[in-house]
Structures are given as structure tokens and as C-alpha cells.
Amino acid sequence: MKLKRFLLRYYPPGIILEYVQGGEVKTKSIDLLDLNVATDVDALVEDIRKAEPLITASRKDQIVHLILRLQEKLCQQVDHKFYLFKVLRAHILPLTNVAFNKSGTCCITGSYDRTCKVWDTASGEELLTLEGHRNVVYAVALNNPYGDKIATGSFDKTCKLWSVNTGKCYYTFRGHTAEIVCLSFNLQSTLVATGSMDTTAKLWDIQNGEEVVTLTGHTAEIIMLSFNTTGDRIITGSFDHTVAVWDVGTGRKMHTLIGHRAGISSAQFNWDCSLIVTGSIDQTCMLWNALTGKRVATLTGHNDEVLDVCFDYTGQHIATASADGTARVYNAETKKCIAKLEGHGGEISKICFNPQGSRILTASSDKTARLWDPQTGQCIQILEGHTDEIFSCVFNYKGNVVLTGSKDNTCRIWR
């Protein structure tokens, strides 16, 4: 084994080792989730060297330099104030979903008008209109971190794979017998998963356009799915009140997470794939051991449906959004609520952390999006201007651009 180079990964913090083994280039990542301003970098590098034989004594100074850069980046102040930069309006019917590429240079919008549009975020210019679906384009995704392919899922029961650069449709994936309502690429960008109202999910090979496997076992509609970071597991959430954990390689169901008393609204793995968080219409959020499928905790406090849940990039905090108009932040280790985010005048349908974990973004039916401090629960900024409810919000990879999607048919870029 011969080490070729180090690559720095800012969010979540880590270093990727690129090495050659048997003539093949391979990668291995070292997660630095606990890195902070007080970390003794020399001691940390010694620990890494002991655990990782690829890092020899001659490479020590190089890795110290990289981690110091990472430490500096993590400790930069995040008192960034966002201003409206562009309003994207070109869809003739309401938007369904929005997504960024990793760098934030391009974003995509899905719509009831049966199209997906690709936008240049720097100019606000429409780059492409992806046409071909025969019904609502409900789910859209980019294959980040690569960002060269788009998947669109439609009520016409198909999923299409497109080129970001040319707009060419590579494949149309057919096989579902009802509407496709959720989809996702794996991080390795080899598979697309689709979830449908027909109670199944399917995995598709993006190289040859073939169906790899059908995941069957739910007794009601699948409304969310998500891969873990290593790409060997996928979770599906259903109106049957359960979340299923599947082996991606075999399509075998590993666990059924049973405990919620109503439909699942949202679910996610943490970065190191050890935990799963689930949100439900039953007003609770639950934490599960991803390896055993056992419930670790029930996070209570909301008095209406939990509509969205997420981890921060380090997996240390969980945020929940509810129809009761509040959001909450929990410590993933102690399972305690550490902040309550109050101020919205309507239900909160979407919540996410910025990559640094220092801000939370929420989208609400009160026509505003808000930025919050997750430690104190204080509202830092209100993003106003939409004329109808906001159903989608997302940060770019650096955390310095925000995208909001609204039922007013517009998408707004804030920076």
C-alpha cells in the first residue's frame, strides 16, 4: 500500500487518504468529528499515526498543517447575515422541491408543471429545463458531491436520470405501479433509490440503467428514504408507522423499527452510521441503534405532528420541526432537549443545520424562513419576502448561501 495524497474534508471535518493498493487507487477517511478550537493538534496527530499505518513519520508535518487549517475553518465566526440575492420564477405551477449542488453554484427545482429546472445561482439564470415526465415532478436530487447528474421522480410512476451539463436524459427507470414521492443517490453515486406509493422502494444502477433490487415489506406507502454515508444500508419510512433498514447489497431487510403510533414523516442516519433518528405524525421523535435496530430513546415535547428531523454533521445534535410551530434541539448523547425554537406563526415543515453546526434553518407556513442559534434557541434572522408558505430550505456546502422554495411558485437565493 502506497499513500498518494491527503484530501481535506471540511464538513463533517475529516481527512481522506488516497492510496494505491494492487495498482488500484482507493480511499479511506479519518473522521475528526470532535475537533474544536481547544484540540491539541500534535497529540491528535500522534493518535492518528498510531491507528493508521499509512501515515508515516515523514508525513507528520503535512497532516498537522492540514488539521490546523481545518481547525481554523471550523472556528471562523458565523455571524453571516443573509440578504435576498435572486428570485427565481419560471415555473407556471407550484414548486415541489429544491436542491443545491455541493458548491452551491447550481440549484434545481421540481414542479407541478411536470418539469425540473436547472439554475445558475450566481446569475439567477435558467440553464436547462428538463422535460419528459407526464405528471408532477415531485422529487428531485443531485448526485452530490459530484453534482453531474440529476434524478427526478414523478407521479407518472417513473424516475429519470439526467446530465446536469447537457440536459440529456440518460435513462427512464420504469417499474413502480404508483407515484414516486421520494428519491436519493447514494454518496458513492452508483445507485439511485426511489420510494413509491405502491409500498415498495427500488434501487437502480446509474451506469447501466438497470433495476438492482426491489425492497418489499411495507404495508403502506413509502414517503421517505435515505442512504447511510458508507452506502451499505438504506432506510425507508412508511405510513405503516415503521421504518425499515435494508442491506443495499442484497436487498434484505435487516431491521424493522417498530414503536411509532402513526405514519413516519422523516428519518436519517447520523454521519458515522451508528444511529437513526425518526420523526412521526404521532408527535414524537425516536432514536435507534442502527446496528441492532433497538430503540435508544423517545424524544418528546412537541404537541402536534413532527414533520422533519435531522442530525448535525457531527451527529452530536438532533433538530426536530413540528406542526405546533416550534422546533427543538436535542443532545444526541444525553437525549435532553437543549433549546426550543419559538417564533414562527405556523407549522414548520423543514429543518436543517448549516455544515458547521452553528446555525439552524427552518421553513414555515407563515411565509418566512428563520435562522437560529442551536445552543441558545435564539432567532438570529428572519428571511421574509415569500407570499405563500415555504416548504423547502437548504444550505449550500459552505453554509454561506440559502435556498428557499415556496408555494408562491418562486425559489429565493439568499447570500
Side-chain angles (χ1 to χ4, degrees):
M1 282 200 301
K2 182 166 181 266
L3 185 64
K4 270 185 75 183
R5 60 174 178 157
F6 298 118
L7 300 166
L8 209 49
R9 189 189 65 213
Y10 287 119
Y11 310 115
I15 290 168
I16 296 166
L17 310 179
E18 209 172 75
Y19 63 98
V20 179
Q21 186 177 29
E24 255 187 276
V25 178
K26 297 188 175 181
T27 60
K28 181 189 282 192
S29 75
I30 298 170
D31 290 338
L32 301 170
L33 302 183
D34 295 324
L35 183 67
N36 59 49
V37 68
T39 302
D40 180 333
V41 173
D42 286 318
L44 176 62
V45 170
E46 275 310 308
D47 290 344
I48 291 170
R49 277 194 54 215
K50 282 176 197 162
E52 182 46 73
L54 277 170
I55 301 171
T56 56
S58 63
R59 296 279 194 166
K60 182 183 171 181
D61 288 348
Q62 193 183 352
I63 204 159
V64 165
H65 173 69
L66 281 178
I67 293 177
L68 285 170
R69 265 177 60 198
L70 199 53
Q71 195 176 40
E72 183 188 351
K73 180 89 178 174
L74 288 171
C75 300
Q76 282 172 358
Q77 280 298 32
V78 202
D79 47 10
H80 184 86
K81 195 162 173 64
F82 289 89
Y83 296 93
L84 179 63
F85 174 66
K86 280 277 185 293
V87 180
L88 311 180
R89 39 174 130 235
H91 286 287
I92 52 173
L93 289 171
L95 300 179
T96 54
N97 235 315
V98 300
F100 266 127
N101 66 350
K102 183 183 136 181
S103 61
T105 54
C106 130
C107 66
I108 59 175
T109 53
S111 169
Y112 277 86
D113 68 11
R114 306 180 176 191
T115 71
C116 172
K117 290 181 186 279
V118 184
W119 307 82
D120 180 310
T121 50
S123 64
E125 183 192 349
E126 182 186 319
L127 300 175
L128 294 166
T129 299
L130 308 180
E131 295 178 298
H133 280 295
R134 281 181 277 194
N135 208 326
V136 175
V137 173
Y138 195 73
V140 296
L142 281 142
N143 65 329
N144 293 334
Y146 306 98
D148 62 340
K149 293 182 182 69
I150 292 166
T152 54
S154 170
F155 285 1
D156 68 9
K157 308 172 193 173
T158 72
C159 170
K160 290 178 183 282
L161 186 71
W162 313 79
S163 163
V164 168
N165 300 318
T166 66
K168 177 189 172 190
C169 180
Y170 294 120
Y171 299 112
T172 299
F173 302 130
R174 292 186 171 88
H176 282 295
T177 57
E179 296 92 332
I180 293 173
V181 292
C182 52
L183 54 76
S184 178
F185 287 95
N186 62 349
L187 210 51
Q188 295 70 27
S189 196
T190 55
L191 298 171
V192 172
T194 53
S196 168
M197 303 296 269
D198 66 11
T199 77
T200 73
K202 290 177 183 284
L203 304 183
W204 311 86
D205 185 313
I206 70 174
Q207 289 310 115
N208 61 25
E210 298 291 317
E211 181 184 320
V212 178
V213 70
T214 299
L215 310 178
T216 55
H218 282 293
T219 57
E221 298 88 339
I222 290 175
I223 52 98
M224 66 68 49
L225 47 75
S226 183
F227 283 98
N228 66 356
T229 44
T230 49
D232 62 337
R233 296 283 184 272
I234 187 169
I235 49 177
T236 54
S238 167
F239 283 149
D240 68 11
H241 309 182
T242 73
V243 170
V245 184
W246 310 83
D247 180 288
V248 169
T250 63
R252 194 164 67 86
K253 192 195 287 188
M254 307 300 292
H255 308 291
T256 303
L257 311 184
I258 299 171
H260 283 295
R261 298 186 314 279
I264 305 299
S265 57
S266 177
Q268 195 186 57
F269 284 96
N270 65 346
W271 180 263
D272 71 9
C273 313
S274 62
L275 292 172
I276 295 166
V277 64
T278 58
S280 167
I281 307 306
D282 69 7
Q283 307 183 7
T284 71
C285 170
M286 291 184 181
L287 204 54
W288 311 79
N289 181 313
L291 301 176
T292 65
K294 296 277 185 283
R295 184 170 22 167
V296 177
T298 301
L299 310 179
T300 58
H302 287 296
N303 54 34
D304 206 337
E305 301 171 358
V306 173
L307 300 176
D308 199 23
V309 295
C310 66
F311 283 103
D312 66 358
Y313 273 85
T314 64
Q316 292 164 351
H317 296 105
I318 296 160
T320 61
S322 171
D324 66 15
T326 72
R328 286 171 176 259
V329 185
Y330 297 85
N331 181 305
E333 201 175 336
T334 66
K335 326 298 190 281
K336 297 274 188 289
C337 178
I338 58 169
K340 197 173 172 186
L341 317 183
E342 296 177 303
H344 275 299
E347 68 175 37
I348 303 172
S349 58
K350 209 81 191 144
I351 192 163
C352 59
F353 284 91
N354 68 347
Q356 298 90 333
S358 57
R359 290 288 178 268
I360 283 175
L361 177 64
T362 52
S364 170
S365 62
D366 69 5
K367 308 175 191 174
T368 72
R370 290 178 181 236
L371 288 140
W372 311 80
D373 183 322
Q375 300 296 329
T376 64
Q378 182 190 354
C379 179
I380 306 294
Q381 193 182 349
I382 303 173
L383 306 181
E384 295 178 289
H386 280 294
T387 57
D388 205 339
E389 70 178 78
I390 303 174
F391 58 82
S392 191
C393 62
V394 62
F395 283 101
N396 70 336
Y397 185 70
K398 285 183 180 167
N400 62 354
V401 184
V402 160
L403 197 59
T404 52
S406 165
K407 284 191 176 172
D408 66 11
N409 286 20
T410 72
C411 192
R412 288 175 180 244
I413 302 169
W414 312 78
R415 52 196 290 187

